[in-house]
Amino acid sequence: MNPEAQLNQNQNQKSLIVKIVLVAAAIVLAAFLFGMYNAGRAGAQQNPAVVQGSVKVTEIDLNSMLDGYVEAVNVAEGDEVKAGDVLLKIEPDIVQAKVKEAEAALGQAQAGLAQAQAAQQAAQAVLNKAENGARPEDLAQAEAAYNYAAGTYERMKPLFEAGAVSANDFDGVEAQYLAAKAVYETAQNGARPEDIAAARAQLAQAAGAVSQYQATIKQAEGAVEEANSYLKHAEIVAPTDGVVTAVNVEKGELISTGMALASMRAASEAWVEVNVRETSLSMVKQGGQVELTFPAYEGQVFHGTVTNVSKNPDFAIKKATNENGSFDVLSYAVKIRLDDMTETLYAGMTAVVDFGAGDGGSAE
């Protein structure tokens, strides 16, 4: 074998040995990690008081109650905001038109009410006069008119009989006499029952119109209030202090009712939530003290307080296995307040809670 071939063979042998060593090392490492995993799993099984959970924060979605175009976007993702800050604006043209329409309807209803109230007052006056009779001055005026008409009639009657006055002229004098007599007798005797009934019906009709317009005004006032409330929602404001986590629209974009425009994380304190199996629930007490660790802050131990244990089981269950026999095991959500957290927490971060530490989860 020539020297060059011998050299290539030696290099191939060395490369094969290196590959075998690397594969062997990978196998050893995998076995080591699997052993650690099983050890950790066995430790968790042996210590049911240690439960893994996650960090929760208050997330708020900001939606639109209006249809329209985005007029302005005043924030970007990551901005810190205060309660009441205007984050976005929606063009209010459509809503302003609805406000004017509602105000116009209210004005018409108010004008109609004024007319109906005037008609009601007039009908009441007619009824009062019919029920109470004529005033003394009205009676005196009717009597004077009757006396004058009667005197004229008595003077004209002989002249008519003598042919000195035409039939047309006498008929006019007689008609005036009879009309004045009827008015005077009515003033003396009061209105007829049918006249009083008609006056009452007229008053009832006027009162009904007033009630109808009053109801219309209330409805119109509600429409104006509703339209103005929608106008307020043309500005999307921060409901609390916090940080903007998402902005989903841009200026000029057409949006629809209920669309998610932005999201923010409230500045209120974060908490930890874990699901505790019912077999370990006896260790969890309301107000109990616990210890917490976070993979993100290795080596640090924090303390917390159990603030709530859900009264209803979680939908997630642990199916029957050799570990728990033939029974399914439910889990319950437990909320934990962080008492001495000094580090920054983000939603979804892993937390490990030890219910056996401190006072063992017993109530204070």
Side-chain angles (χ1 to χ4, degrees), residues 103-169:
E103 289 175 342
L106 176 60
Q108 291 178 352
Q110 291 172 336
L113 176 62
Q115 293 178 352
Q117 288 174 333
Q120 183 182 27
Q121 292 174 356
Q124 184 66 59
V126 171
L127 177 61
N128 291 341
K129 185 175 181 179
E131 290 180 335
N132 300 329
R135 297 175 301 174
E137 55 269 30
D138 294 334
L139 180 60
Q141 184 178 2
E143 183 180 7
Y146 167 68
N147 290 335
Y148 175 79
T152 303
Y153 174 74
E154 292 298 332
R155 289 194 304 272
M156 296 295 290
K157 184 176 180 181
L159 297 175
F160 170 69
E161 292 175 350
V165 176
S166 66
N168 289 335
D169 291 340

Side-chain angles (χ1 to χ4, degrees), residues 8-20:
N8 290 336
Q9 183 177 4
N10 292 337
Q11 289 176 344
N12 290 337
Q13 290 177 348
K14 290 180 180 180
S15 176
L16 180 61
I17 293 173
V18 170
K19 291 180 180 178
I20 293 174

Side-chain angles (χ1 to χ4, degrees), residues 4-195:
E4 184 177 353
Q6 184 66 34
L7 178 61
N8 290 336
Q9 183 177 4
N10 292 337
Q11 289 176 344
N12 290 337
Q13 290 177 348
K14 290 180 180 180
S15 176
L16 180 61
I17 293 173
V18 170
K19 291 180 180 178
I20 293 174
V21 171
L22 291 176
V23 171
I27 293 174
V28 171
L29 179 60
F32 175 73
L33 293 176
F34 184 71
M36 291 185 63
Y37 169 76
N38 284 336
R41 184 180 179 188
Q45 293 174 354
Q46 294 173 0
N47 188 7
V50 178
V51 183
Q52 178 179 318
S54 60
V55 174
K56 303 290 184 180
V57 297
T58 301
E59 297 283 351
I60 303 172
D61 291 330
L62 304 174
N63 301 326
S64 168
M65 292 185 64
L66 305 177
D67 298 326
Y69 290 93
V70 177
E71 181 178 350
V73 178
N74 300 330
V75 292
E77 185 176 334
D79 287 352
E80 294 186 359
V81 295
K82 297 292 184 181
D85 286 352
V86 179
L87 309 183
L88 303 102
K89 290 184 179 181
I90 303 170
E91 290 184 0
D93 297 350
I94 298 177
V95 182
Q96 286 176 340
K98 291 183 178 179
V99 171
K100 291 181 179 179
E101 181 181 351
E103 289 175 342
L106 176 60
Q108 291 178 352
Q110 291 172 336
L113 176 62
Q115 293 178 352
Q117 288 174 333
Q120 183 182 27
Q121 292 174 356
Q124 184 66 59
V126 171
L127 177 61
N128 291 341
K129 185 175 181 179
E131 290 180 335
N132 300 329
R135 297 175 301 174
E137 55 269 30
D138 294 334
L139 180 60
Q141 184 178 2
E143 183 180 7
Y146 167 68
N147 290 335
Y148 175 79
T152 303
Y153 174 74
E154 292 298 332
R155 289 194 304 272
M156 296 295 290
K157 184 176 180 181
L159 297 175
F160 170 69
E161 292 175 350
V165 176
S166 66
N168 289 335
D169 291 340
F170 181 73
D171 289 343
V173 171
E174 186 178 27
Q176 291 178 357
Y177 162 69
L178 294 175
K181 182 180 179 181
V183 170
Y184 179 48
E185 290 177 349
T186 300
Q188 285 181 315
N189 302 325
R192 295 174 300 176
E194 55 266 29
D195 294 333

Side-chain angles (χ1 to χ4, degrees), residues 8 35-36 43 75-76 90 132 140 161 168 194 215 218 224 236-237 239 241 245 254 260 269 311 331 334 337 348:
N8 290 336
M36 291 185 63
V75 292
I90 303 170
N132 300 329
E161 292 175 350
N168 289 335
E194 55 266 29
K218 288 184 179 180
V224 170
I236 308 300
V237 300
D241 296 353
T245 56
L254 178 62
E269 295 182 356
K311 302 302 181 183
S331 64
V334 177
R337 182 186 69 235

Side-chain angles (χ1 to χ4, degrees), residues 305-324:
T305 302
V306 176
T307 60
N308 184 62
V309 179
S310 175
K311 302 302 181 183
N312 299 313
D314 192 87
F315 288 107
I317 61 173
K318 181 176 178 60
K319 291 296 184 181
T321 63
N322 292 333
E323 176 187 342
N324 59 334

